[in-house]
Amino acid sequence: MRYIQTIVVSALLLVVWLPSQAQFAGEDKTVLKVPNNSQEVTIGEAPEKDGYCYQWTGPNIVGDSTTAKIKVNPRFPKEDYFVKRISDCDGVEYDKVTVKLVDTISIVSVKPTRCYNDGDTIKREHFEIVTLPEGYESMVTVSPIIAHHPTTEQNPEWIQSVNFRLEYNNHTSHKSAKVSVINDSKPLNISFNPDFLEFEKDIKEAEEVLDLALKIKEGILLPLSKGFPIEIGCDPSFNISAAIPTFSCYCCEGKRVNTFNLPGWGFSGSIGCEAAIPIPALSCPIPCAKTGLFLTIGFSGGLSLGPTYIVWRGKCSYVEIPGELTVEIHGGARVQALDKDFLSLTAQLGGVASREFSWKLGKPFDIGHAKLQCTLSGEIVATSLIKVPFNVVLGEVVLE
């Protein structure tokens, strides 16, 4: 009885072992049919070994049928190929592979391999695309091709849908995939003027122009014939800016990394000079008070530097010092009562030339692009305390 049990166990082991050893014909293949039926495919996966002989049988075998791998030229929707392998050690083994012939191409799966930053280009090479038959990934089109993070979305990471399309022989295959789009914007700047008495200064100017108006009303100051002098004034300004440190994320070389933005201080200064030329027929000369229509012409220039950014982004970390140089020439008209700080309306056309520049630690100095703008600007002033400026860009040209 023990002898019989041993024979049964050995037979069962052979039944399990032999099929597992006979997987040498390779996986089934799917081939795309071409108009002249010249399609070919290689089948068989076992490497050439000494002491092994092969014999393939099946339709439309191309060339030698006694090697481990052979080429076939399928002509029908489904063709079976059989292989017999003979060796001194393993004896005779059999296996089979099926080749299917199709006239359409389908997208089987799409898998993203990276993340994107807002504005990055989405390329087909960024995805693992599998087609049936295999090898036609280059025929797949991708849309959209620009990674977009909505400006209304507060979360720095946004999931965008990307569509894939493949057309062949009046057949269209579709797939979609989700990609991560990150918008790691710089921290919000906070600007302030170092002159903390500015509000008190405005109040004093408001008191002076109100007192002037009262004196004129009571007849203390009357119009005198003193001509129409041209008013020339220059107004310098200086600002300090800072920003709030922020934590966020970023797509560095296709990998999502956590980020930390540590901003420093920024400085900006400007000076503007303007000449106001009264029109005699539309102006009234009063000592200490000017009323009427004035032509204005002036220029201004400014320089800003910073704030400095220390941005930790893994391999993409950097230190940056940005800046901008601006020059403006403008001309227009102003209507005022008593004084421009009492009640006035100014409107001007101007030309603005600016150039941004940036320096990142370890990289060449970047002078950026020059920008020319045509603007319509102005300001409404009432008693020095109420100031409503406006500025409209009428046209813009960016120069290399």
mmCIF file of all heavy atoms in Angstrom, residues 122-145:
data_model
loop_
_atom_site.group_PDB
_atom_site.id
_atom_site.type_symbol
_atom_site.label_atom_id
_atom_site.label_comp_id
_atom_site.label_asym_id
_atom_site.label_seq_id
_atom_site.Cartn_x
_atom_site.Cartn_y
_atom_site.Cartn_z
ATOM 1 N N ILE A 122 2.054 69.632 -20.529
ATOM 2 C CA ILE A 122 1.725 68.222 -20.358
ATOM 3 C C ILE A 122 2.113 67.485 -21.638
ATOM 4 O O ILE A 122 1.646 67.822 -22.724
ATOM 5 C CB ILE A 122 0.228 68.030 -20.065
ATOM 6 C CG1 ILE A 122 -0.159 68.780 -18.778
ATOM 7 C CG2 ILE A 122 -0.116 66.547 -19.934
ATOM 8 C CD1 ILE A 122 -1.649 68.753 -18.482
ATOM 9 N N LYS A 123 2.980 66.489 -21.518
ATOM 10 C CA LYS A 123 3.461 65.748 -22.676
ATOM 11 C C LYS A 123 3.047 64.282 -22.579
ATOM 12 O O LYS A 123 2.874 63.738 -21.488
ATOM 13 C CB LYS A 123 4.986 65.846 -22.783
ATOM 14 C CG LYS A 123 5.517 67.264 -22.956
ATOM 15 C CD LYS A 123 7.020 67.265 -23.072
ATOM 16 C CE LYS A 123 7.572 68.678 -23.253
ATOM 17 N NZ LYS A 123 9.047 68.683 -23.365
ATOM 18 N N ARG A 124 2.929 63.653 -23.761
ATOM 19 C CA ARG A 124 2.569 62.234 -23.808
ATOM 20 C C ARG A 124 3.624 61.381 -23.110
ATOM 21 O O ARG A 124 3.305 60.358 -22.497
ATOM 22 C CB ARG A 124 2.410 61.804 -25.275
ATOM 23 C CG ARG A 124 2.003 60.355 -25.449
ATOM 24 C CD ARG A 124 1.789 59.976 -26.909
ATOM 25 N NE ARG A 124 2.975 60.252 -27.701
ATOM 26 C CZ ARG A 124 3.023 61.130 -28.682
ATOM 27 N NH1 ARG A 124 1.950 61.830 -28.996
ATOM 28 N NH2 ARG A 124 4.130 61.334 -29.371
ATOM 29 N N GLU A 125 4.882 61.820 -23.183
ATOM 30 C CA GLU A 125 5.967 61.049 -22.580
ATOM 31 C C GLU A 125 5.873 60.988 -21.059
ATOM 32 O O GLU A 125 6.584 60.205 -20.432
ATOM 33 C CB GLU A 125 7.319 61.655 -22.983
ATOM 34 C CG GLU A 125 7.643 61.560 -24.461
ATOM 35 C CD GLU A 125 6.903 62.596 -25.298
ATOM 36 O OE1 GLU A 125 6.318 63.529 -24.706
ATOM 37 O OE2 GLU A 125 6.905 62.473 -26.540
ATOM 38 N N HIS A 126 5.029 61.816 -20.475
ATOM 39 C CA HIS A 126 4.884 61.821 -19.014
ATOM 40 C C HIS A 126 3.942 60.732 -18.512
ATOM 41 O O HIS A 126 3.670 60.665 -17.310
ATOM 42 C CB HIS A 126 4.361 63.181 -18.552
ATOM 43 C CG HIS A 126 5.277 64.309 -18.879
ATOM 44 N ND1 HIS A 126 4.865 65.621 -18.921
ATOM 45 C CD2 HIS A 126 6.607 64.330 -19.179
ATOM 46 C CE1 HIS A 126 5.883 66.394 -19.230
ATOM 47 N NE2 HIS A 126 6.947 65.636 -19.397
ATOM 48 N N PHE A 127 3.434 59.886 -19.408
ATOM 49 C CA PHE A 127 2.462 58.864 -19.029
ATOM 50 C C PHE A 127 2.904 57.496 -19.529
ATOM 51 O O PHE A 127 3.553 57.384 -20.577
ATOM 52 C CB PHE A 127 1.082 59.193 -19.611
ATOM 53 C CG PHE A 127 0.511 60.500 -19.140
ATOM 54 C CD1 PHE A 127 0.863 61.689 -19.771
ATOM 55 C CD2 PHE A 127 -0.353 60.556 -18.062
ATOM 56 C CE1 PHE A 127 0.353 62.905 -19.342
ATOM 57 C CE2 PHE A 127 -0.864 61.755 -17.625
ATOM 58 C CZ PHE A 127 -0.518 62.925 -18.263
ATOM 59 N N GLU A 128 2.558 56.481 -18.757
ATOM 60 C CA GLU A 128 2.750 55.102 -19.199
ATOM 61 C C GLU A 128 1.470 54.681 -19.927
ATOM 62 O O GLU A 128 0.436 54.453 -19.309
ATOM 63 C CB GLU A 128 3.021 54.185 -18.007
ATOM 64 C CG GLU A 128 4.340 54.469 -17.301
ATOM 65 C CD GLU A 128 4.545 53.558 -16.102
ATOM 66 O OE1 GLU A 128 3.622 52.761 -15.797
ATOM 67 O OE2 GLU A 128 5.605 53.645 -15.458
ATOM 68 N N ILE A 129 1.556 54.612 -21.255
ATOM 69 C CA ILE A 129 0.396 54.314 -22.087
ATOM 70 C C ILE A 129 0.540 52.905 -22.653
ATOM 71 O O ILE A 129 1.589 52.554 -23.200
ATOM 72 C CB ILE A 129 0.254 55.337 -23.230
ATOM 73 C CG1 ILE A 129 0.161 56.758 -22.662
ATOM 74 C CG2 ILE A 129 -0.959 55.025 -24.095
ATOM 75 C CD1 ILE A 129 0.144 57.831 -23.722
ATOM 76 N N VAL A 130 -0.501 52.116 -22.519
ATOM 77 C CA VAL A 130 -0.530 50.765 -23.062
ATOM 78 C C VAL A 130 -1.620 50.700 -24.118
ATOM 79 O O VAL A 130 -2.767 51.087 -23.864
ATOM 80 C CB VAL A 130 -0.793 49.714 -21.966
ATOM 81 C CG1 VAL A 130 -0.859 48.311 -22.573
ATOM 82 C CG2 VAL A 130 0.292 49.778 -20.897
ATOM 83 N N THR A 131 -1.261 50.239 -25.312
ATOM 84 C CA THR A 131 -2.235 50.093 -26.389
ATOM 85 C C THR A 131 -2.383 48.626 -26.772
ATOM 86 O O THR A 131 -1.520 47.796 -26.467
ATOM 87 C CB THR A 131 -1.810 50.889 -27.637
ATOM 88 O OG1 THR A 131 -0.569 50.363 -28.133
ATOM 89 C CG2 THR A 131 -1.657 52.361 -27.322
ATOM 90 N N LEU A 132 -3.473 48.328 -27.414
ATOM 91 C CA LEU A 132 -3.722 46.995 -27.946
ATOM 92 C C LEU A 132 -4.073 47.139 -29.416
ATOM 93 O O LEU A 132 -5.119 47.715 -29.737
ATOM 94 C CB LEU A 132 -4.878 46.311 -27.214
ATOM 95 C CG LEU A 132 -5.142 44.853 -27.616
ATOM 96 C CD1 LEU A 132 -3.985 43.972 -27.177
ATOM 97 C CD2 LEU A 132 -6.452 44.350 -27.050
ATOM 98 N N PRO A 133 -3.212 46.648 -30.314
ATOM 99 C CA PRO A 133 -1.914 45.995 -30.105
ATOM 100 C C PRO A 133 -0.889 46.926 -29.454
ATOM 101 O O PRO A 133 -1.072 48.130 -29.422
ATOM 102 C CB PRO A 133 -1.481 45.626 -31.525
ATOM 103 C CG PRO A 133 -2.712 45.675 -32.351
ATOM 104 C CD PRO A 133 -3.560 46.719 -31.729
ATOM 105 N N GLU A 134 0.211 46.345 -28.969
ATOM 106 C CA GLU A 134 1.239 47.125 -28.302
ATOM 107 C C GLU A 134 2.070 47.929 -29.302
ATOM 108 O O GLU A 134 2.164 47.593 -30.484
ATOM 109 C CB GLU A 134 2.164 46.198 -27.506
ATOM 110 C CG GLU A 134 1.481 45.444 -26.388
ATOM 111 C CD GLU A 134 2.444 44.536 -25.662
ATOM 112 O OE1 GLU A 134 3.599 44.408 -26.128
ATOM 113 O OE2 GLU A 134 2.063 43.944 -24.638
ATOM 114 N N GLY A 135 2.674 49.015 -28.792
ATOM 115 C CA GLY A 135 3.637 49.751 -29.590
ATOM 116 C C GLY A 135 3.101 50.920 -30.384
ATOM 117 O O GLY A 135 3.817 51.476 -31.220
ATOM 118 N N TYR A 136 1.866 51.345 -30.118
ATOM 119 C CA TYR A 136 1.286 52.462 -30.875
ATOM 120 C C TYR A 136 1.015 53.673 -29.986
ATOM 121 O O TYR A 136 0.116 54.457 -30.245
ATOM 122 C CB TYR A 136 0.009 52.003 -31.575
ATOM 123 C CG TYR A 136 0.265 50.956 -32.633
ATOM 124 C CD1 TYR A 136 0.191 49.608 -32.320
ATOM 125 C CD2 TYR A 136 0.630 51.319 -33.918
ATOM 126 C CE1 TYR A 136 0.457 48.632 -33.277
ATOM 127 C CE2 TYR A 136 0.893 50.365 -34.889
ATOM 128 C CZ TYR A 136 0.804 49.021 -34.560
ATOM 129 O OH TYR A 136 1.077 48.070 -35.513
ATOM 130 N N GLU A 137 1.811 53.812 -28.927
ATOM 131 C CA GLU A 137 1.639 54.927 -28.007
ATOM 132 C C GLU A 137 1.857 56.274 -28.691
ATOM 133 O O GLU A 137 1.268 57.285 -28.304
ATOM 134 C CB GLU A 137 2.604 54.794 -26.825
ATOM 135 C CG GLU A 137 2.375 53.563 -25.957
ATOM 136 C CD GLU A 137 2.966 52.293 -26.554
ATOM 137 O OE1 GLU A 137 3.758 52.404 -27.532
ATOM 138 O OE2 GLU A 137 2.635 51.201 -26.075
ATOM 139 N N SER A 138 2.701 56.331 -29.717
ATOM 140 C CA SER A 138 3.001 57.592 -30.386
ATOM 141 C C SER A 138 1.806 58.151 -31.148
ATOM 142 O O SER A 138 1.812 59.327 -31.532
ATOM 143 C CB SER A 138 4.179 57.412 -31.350
ATOM 144 O OG SER A 138 3.859 56.453 -32.349
ATOM 145 N N MET A 139 0.792 57.346 -31.379
ATOM 146 C CA MET A 139 -0.399 57.816 -32.089
ATOM 147 C C MET A 139 -1.420 58.452 -31.155
ATOM 148 O O MET A 139 -2.430 58.993 -31.603
ATOM 149 C CB MET A 139 -1.055 56.650 -32.847
ATOM 150 C CG MET A 139 -0.173 56.057 -33.934
ATOM 151 S SD MET A 139 -0.929 54.626 -34.749
ATOM 152 C CE MET A 139 -2.401 55.356 -35.460
ATOM 153 N N VAL A 140 -1.163 58.419 -29.870
ATOM 154 C CA VAL A 140 -2.108 58.961 -28.882
ATOM 155 C C VAL A 140 -1.932 60.475 -28.783
ATOM 156 O O VAL A 140 -0.808 60.978 -28.700
ATOM 157 C CB VAL A 140 -1.896 58.302 -27.507
ATOM 158 C CG1 VAL A 140 -2.820 58.915 -26.464
ATOM 159 C CG2 VAL A 140 -2.120 56.795 -27.606
ATOM 160 N N THR A 141 -3.030 61.210 -28.801
ATOM 161 C CA THR A 141 -3.003 62.661 -28.602
ATOM 162 C C THR A 141 -3.488 62.990 -27.196
ATOM 163 O O THR A 141 -4.343 62.290 -26.636
ATOM 164 C CB THR A 141 -3.876 63.382 -29.630
ATOM 165 O OG1 THR A 141 -5.235 62.908 -29.530
ATOM 166 C CG2 THR A 141 -3.369 63.131 -31.036
ATOM 167 N N VAL A 142 -2.942 64.085 -26.652
ATOM 168 C CA VAL A 142 -3.226 64.470 -25.267
ATOM 169 C C VAL A 142 -3.851 65.860 -25.254
ATOM 170 O O VAL A 142 -3.431 66.759 -25.975
ATOM 171 C CB VAL A 142 -1.925 64.485 -24.431
ATOM 172 C CG1 VAL A 142 -2.224 64.818 -22.975
ATOM 173 C CG2 VAL A 142 -1.207 63.156 -24.541
ATOM 174 N N SER A 143 -4.865 66.042 -24.401
ATOM 175 C CA SER A 143 -5.462 67.371 -24.202
ATOM 176 C C SER A 143 -6.033 67.451 -22.780
ATOM 177 O O SER A 143 -6.556 66.449 -22.270
ATOM 178 C CB SER A 143 -6.569 67.622 -25.230
ATOM 179 O OG SER A 143 -7.650 66.727 -25.027
ATOM 180 N N PRO A 144 -5.928 68.610 -22.136
ATOM 181 C CA PRO A 144 -5.180 69.796 -22.576
ATOM 182 C C PRO A 144 -3.681 69.572 -22.440
ATOM 183 O O PRO A 144 -3.257 68.606 -21.804
ATOM 184 C CB PRO A 144 -5.667 70.875 -21.609
ATOM 185 C CG PRO A 144 -5.996 70.117 -20.362
ATOM 186 C CD PRO A 144 -6.551 68.791 -20.816
ATOM 187 N N ILE A 145 -2.909 70.486 -23.036
ATOM 188 C CA ILE A 145 -1.457 70.322 -22.987
ATOM 189 C C ILE A 145 -0.810 71.266 -21.971
ATOM 190 O O ILE A 145 0.407 71.253 -21.823
ATOM 191 C CB ILE A 145 -0.834 70.549 -24.374
ATOM 192 C CG1 ILE A 145 -1.128 71.962 -24.873
ATOM 193 C CG2 ILE A 145 -1.331 69.514 -25.370
ATOM 194 C CD1 ILE A 145 -0.383 72.322 -26.156
#
